[in-house]
Amino acid sequence: MLQRLTIAILALTGIVSAMGPVDTIRQHPELAKRAQFETRNEPESEVNERRSKSKYYNSNTAKYWVNGNKIPDVNFDVGESYAGLMPISKDKNETRQLWFWFFPTTGTVDDELVIWLNGGPGCTVKAVLKDFYRKTDPSPGKRSPRPLPICLHKKLTRAGNRQYGTYKPSSRIDQPVGTGFSQGVPDATSEEDIAVKFLGFLENFIKTFGFENKKIYLTGESYAGYYVTYILDAMYNKNDTKLFDPRGLMIYNPTLSEWVVHEQIPMVPFVDYWARLLALNETTMDRLHDMADKCGYTSYLNENMLFPPRGPLPTPPHIFTPEECDVWRAALRAATLVNPCFNVYHITTTCPILWDVLGYPGTNHFLPEGAEIYFNRTDVQKAINAPHMNWEECSGDLVFPNGDPSDPPNYSLLPRLIDKLERTVIGHGILDFRFPINGTLLSIQNMTWGGKQGFQTKPTEPFIVPYDSQGIMGVVHTERKLTWVEIEWCGHMVPQYQPGVAYRQLEYLLGRIDKL
Ligand SMILES: *[C@@H]1O[C@H](CO)[C@@H](O)[C@H](O)[C@H]1NC(C)=O
Ligand SMILES: *[C@@H]1O[C@H](CO)[C@@H](O)[C@H](O)[C@H]1NC(C)=O
Ligand SMILES: *[C@@H]1O[C@H](CO)[C@@H](O)[C@H](O)[C@H]1NC(C)=O
Ligand SMILES: *[C@@H]1O[C@H](CO)[C@@H](O)[C@H](O)[C@H]1NC(C)=O
Ligand SMILES: *[C@@H]1O[C@H](CO)[C@@H](O)[C@H](O)[C@H]1NC(C)=O
Ligand SMILES: *[C@@H]1O[C@H](CO)[C@@H](O)[C@H](O)[C@H]1NC(C)=O
Ligand SMILES: CC(=O)N[C@H]1CO[C@H](CO)[C@@H](O)[C@@H]1O
C-alpha cells in the first residue's frame, strides 16, 4: 500500500525530488517575464451583452460565468465558459466542493458531455488548469499565451461539450500551501468513495446547467485509469440514464494493473528499445538485464506477451518489489547520470529544463525574477471564480489519507466497461518512462472482454493523424470495441505532447469517424 502510494505520487509530482537535485539550467529572467498585454477596457454594456448572449447563461449558472475576454495575459477571447466551486453532495451543509471549468461546445452537437480527469493522485486540479494553459500555450519556457493552430479546446468543443471539471478529493491537510482550488479536508477512502463523491458533484453540475440526458464520455490520464473506470462503474450502478448515460472511455498511459506490471516487467525491453537514446554504458546494461532475468521479469514478459494469449496470466513476480528487483529505479538512476535533465514523462527532454508558468515541480520550483505562478495570481483566480488561496501545481498532500485500498481496474472492472460502452480507447505515448508501453499492453492481454481474452492479433496497423501534416503517428488496433494506440513522439501526457493525436482520438471516441 505504501509502495503504491509513494509511486503513485511520484507519478505526477516528478522524479526530481526523489533523485536529489538536478542541475536545472535556468533561462534568462527576461524571457520569463510575462508579456504585458494591454487588456482592453471593455465597456460594461458590451460585457453584459456578451453575457446575455451566452448559450448556457441563466440565473442558475450566472455565478459561474467567466468573462472569456478578461483572462489575465490572454489577449484573445477564450469563448464562453463557466467555472467555480460545486459541492459534492446535495446536503445543504456540504463544505467539500470541487472546482471545475466548463467550456460548452461551439458546434452544433450538444448532447454530449466530455469529462477530462487527471491522475496523481493529488495532482488533479492543476492538470485541468494545465490543460487550459496548454491549449493556449502548450510548452513551458514561453512567456505569454497564444492561440494554437491545433487548439485542443477549440477543436474539442466543436466536437462536443468538454468539461474541464475534475475531481480532486482534497485540498490541504498538513501542507501550508494549497493544492488546487477544490475545498475540503482530504477524506477519500477508496476508489468507490471517490466515485460516490464525484457523482455527487456531477449531479449538482448537471442539474445546475440543465445537462440531463447527455451522453457522457470520461477521459483522463495516468492515475485517472483508476478514477474513470470506478466512476463509470458507479454511473452504471445508478441505473439512471437521465443523469448518467455513459458511452465512451478514453485513457492515456493509464494505471490498469499492479505496479510491477507497469514499471518493472516492461523496463528492460524499454531500455533496449531506446538504447541509442539513453546511452547507458555496457556495464549498466548488463546489470539491468541481469536484474530483470534474476527477478523473473524477462521470462514473464516473453512467456505472456502473446497474441492471442495462452490463458489467464499468472500472478507476476514481486508484486511488492524489493530493492534488488527495482530495475525501474536502477534504470532511472543510470539515465539521470547520463542526462541530468532526464524526464520520466518524456525521455527525449534534455537540458535546459524550461521554467514553467504553472510551477511544474520538475523544474525545482525555479521561478525567474519577475515571473509568477499563473494560477496562484489573485487576478487569475478572480477571473475564473476560484477561491483565493495558494495554488500549487501538484499536491504534496496525500489525497487518500490512509492510502487507496482499491484494486487496479484490471481483469474484471475494465473489461465489463468495454462490453457496455460504445467505444473504449487506450492510448500510450512511447516516450514515457514512467509507465513503459509494454506494461499496458500486457495488462490488456490479461483482460477478458467480448468473450475472449486479450487481442487475438498483434497491433501493427498504422495510426494516421491528418492534422498538421503529421501522417503516421504510431500503431492502432481495434478488437471487440477496444482500441489500442501506440503514439510516437509522445510521452506520458498525451494531450500536452500531441494535441492533434488526442483530438483525432476524441473524434473517434465520439463517433465522428468510424475508425482511427
Ligand atoms: C445543517 O447545519 C445546521 C446548523 O449547524 C443544522 O441545524 C442542520 O441540522 C444541518 N442540516 C443537515 C442536513 O445536516
Ligand atoms: C434499471 O431501471 C429500469 C427502470 O428504469 C429497470 O427496468 C431495470 O430493471 C433497472 N436495472 C437494474 C439493474 O437495476
Ligand atoms: C515490447 O515488447 C516486445 C516483445 O514482446 C519488444 O520486441 C519491444 O521492443 C518492446 N517495446 C518496448 C518499447 O519496450
Ligand atoms: C492476470 O490476471 C490474474 C487473475 O485472473 C491475476 O492473478 C494476475 O496477477 C494478472 N496478471 C497480470 C500481469 O496482470
Ligand atoms: C557505467 O555507468 C555507471 C552509472 O550507471 C557508472 O557508475 C560506471 O562508472 C560506468 N562504467 C563505465 C565503464 O563507464
Ligand atoms: C502564491 O501566492 C502567495 C500570495 O498570494 C505567496 O505567498 C506564495 O508564495 C505564492 N506561491 C508560489 C509558489 O509562488
Ligand atoms: C477492480 C477489479 O476488477 N479488481 C480485480 C483485480 O484482480 C484481482 C485478482 O484477480 C481481483 O480480485 C480483483 O477483483
Side-chain angles (χ1 to χ4, degrees):
M1 197 42 47
L2 186 67
Q3 181 190 3
R4 176 189 289 184
L5 252 173
T6 319
I7 292 169
I9 284 158
L10 271 182
L12 272 109
T13 53
I15 206 66
V16 172
S17 56
M19 293 300 296
V22 159
D23 181 27
T24 309
I25 299 176
R26 302 175 167 191
Q27 270 181 286
H28 194 281
E30 270 308 303
L31 284 178
K33 276 191 190 156
R34 65 180 153 104
Q36 299 296 317
F37 285 120
E38 286 169 37
T39 313
R40 202 180 134 241
N41 235 346
E42 195 181 22
E44 193 62 23
S45 58
E46 280 180 33
V47 177
N48 289 341
E49 198 189 326
R50 213 148 35 80
R51 184 167 37 212
S52 64
K53 279 191 190 144
S54 297
K55 196 168 167 192
Y56 294 104
Y57 182 81
N58 60 42
S59 59
N60 292 332
T61 63
K63 70 173 189 168
Y64 296 109
W65 190 76
V66 171
N67 184 346
N69 220 358
K70 266 267 166 30
I71 312 282
D73 290 0
V74 179
N75 69 342
F76 52 92
D77 188 348
V78 303
E80 183 177 348
S81 76
Y82 301 83
L85 292 166
M86 186 77 77
I88 63 157
S89 74
K90 281 185 268 199
D91 184 345
K92 292 267 175 289
N93 291 351
E94 183 60 77
T95 54
R96 295 164 299 178
Q97 299 184 87
L98 304 185
W99 187 84
F100 70 91
W101 194 349
F102 166 64
F103 285 81
T105 178
T106 52
T108 49
V109 180
D110 73 350
D111 63 346
E112 295 163 341
L113 188 61
V114 179
I115 301 173
W116 170 264
L117 303 183
N118 218 287
C123 296
T124 48
V125 161
K126 63 100 195 187
V128 174
L129 303 172
K130 193 167 185 167
D131 206 49
F132 159 74
Y133 210 81
R134 265 176 218 148
K135 68 190 196 274
T136 52
D137 184 19
S139 47
K142 303 268 174 60
R143 61 179 174 179
S144 58
R146 69 202 153 89
L148 288 173
I150 284 223
C151 161
L152 198 53
H153 152 61
K154 279 210 182 122
K155 288 212 159 191
L156 288 184
T157 51
R158 212 174 292 146
N161 274 327
R162 177 167 170 83
Q163 185 196 343
Y164 286 89
T166 187
Y167 184 61
K168 179 178 181 301
S170 72
S171 67
R172 293 126 302 157
I173 176 165
D174 287 322
Q175 299 291 319
V177 183
T179 57
F181 295 130
S182 295
Q183 303 288 296
V185 176
D187 63 353
T189 55
S190 67
E191 294 298 327
E192 288 84 352
D193 180 49
I194 289 223
V196 168
K197 289 166 178 163
F198 184 79
L199 292 194
F201 157 83
L202 195 58
E203 180 169 347
N204 287 333
F205 175 84
I206 287 171
K207 289 184 169 157
T208 303
F209 284 86
F211 284 170
E212 288 87 355
N213 296 312
K214 285 202 190 290
K215 299 174 192 162
I216 295 180
Y217 300 85
L218 238 57
T219 65
E221 72 191 18
S222 193
Y223 201 78
Y226 276 68
Y227 299 152
V228 294
T229 45
Y230 278 86
I231 291 169
L232 281 170
D233 198 40
M235 282 186 183
Y236 280 117
N237 292 339
K238 287 263 180 187
N239 193 22
D240 178 357
T241 51
K242 190 171 171 217
L243 274 179
F244 308 121
D245 183 7
R247 299 300 180 98
L249 158 63
M250 181 158 76
I251 36 182
Y252 293 125
N253 296 42
T255 44
L256 299 180
S257 199
E258 308 291 354
W259 290 102
V260 68
V261 175
H262 286 298
E263 297 179 324
Q264 309 297 347
I265 292 172
M267 192 69 245
V268 167
F270 180 87
V271 168
D272 284 346
Y273 185 89
W274 293 112
R276 286 295 300 278
L277 179 71
L278 298 174
L280 307 183
N281 67 32
E282 211 180 312
T283 328
T284 306
M285 287 300 263
D286 288 347
R287 188 167 57 91
L288 295 176
H289 273 270
D290 196 47
M291 278 173 90
D293 293 349
K294 281 203 180 109
C295 296
Y297 303 145
T298 312
S299 55
Y300 191 91
L301 190 66
N302 290 345
E303 284 159 25
N304 294 299
M305 189 70 114
L306 303 173
F307 303 88
R310 269 195 299 246
L313 274 50
T315 305
H318 308 298
I319 298 261
F320 297 98
T321 310
E323 173 77 25
E324 67 270 19
C325 287
D326 194 346
V327 70
W328 185 87
R329 201 158 298 270
L332 175 61
R333 288 207 183 96
T336 308
L337 287 176
V338 179
N339 172 9
C341 293
F342 186 73
N343 182 341
V344 280
Y345 305 116
H346 200 275
I347 60 167
T348 59
T349 302
T350 54
C351 295
I353 296 176
L354 302 176
W355 93 282
D356 181 358
V357 73
L358 298 183
Y360 175 58
T363 58
N364 283 346
H365 298 282
F366 169 59
L367 202 58
E369 209 186 316
E372 287 163 285
I373 303 295
Y374 188 72
F375 290 106
N376 195 40
R377 283 164 50 180
T378 313
D379 58 341
V380 173
Q381 295 174 345
K382 191 158 172 265
I384 55 176
N385 304 323
H388 299 309
M389 57 190 280
N390 278 3
W391 182 88
E392 216 186 1
E393 174 168 358
C394 230
S395 165
D397 300 348
L398 294 183
V399 236
F400 297 94
N402 300 308
D404 180 359
S406 301
D407 280 316
N410 51 1
Y411 334 107
S412 67
L413 175 52
L414 183 54
R416 198 159 71 230
L417 293 173
I418 297 170
D419 287 346
K420 289 183 190 170
L421 293 164
E422 287 166 3
R423 287 178 185 189
T424 299
V425 179
I426 301 177
H428 204 107
I430 66 167
L431 296 175
D432 185 18
F433 181 104
R434 191 70 204 70
F435 295 145
I437 187 162
N438 272 336
T440 313
L441 196 50
L442 191 61
S443 307
I444 292 176
Q445 288 311 84
N446 202 20
M447 301 190 318
T448 297
W449 78 99
K452 284 181 185 158
Q453 185 191 330
F455 287 135
Q456 305 300 296
T457 54
K458 198 179 156 134
T460 53
E461 255 188 74
F463 164 52
I464 295 160
V465 177
Y467 305 116
D468 278 355
S469 313
Q470 276 192 295
I472 296 176
M473 287 300 290
V475 171
V476 64
H477 188 82
T478 302
E479 277 187 43
R480 313 189 302 284
K481 295 197 290 178
L482 172 63
T483 296
W484 160 251
V485 198
E486 302 174 8
I487 308 158
E488 303 276 353
W489 285 110
C490 190
H492 192 73
M493 291 81 99
V494 176
Q496 171 181 358
Y497 295 123
Q498 287 297 345
V501 163
Y503 173 62
R504 188 65 176 164
Q505 290 166 349
L506 190 65
E507 282 187 309
Y508 173 71
L509 184 74
L510 298 180
R512 301 291 189 278
I513 51 176
D514 290 336
K515 73 190 280 278
L516 276 175

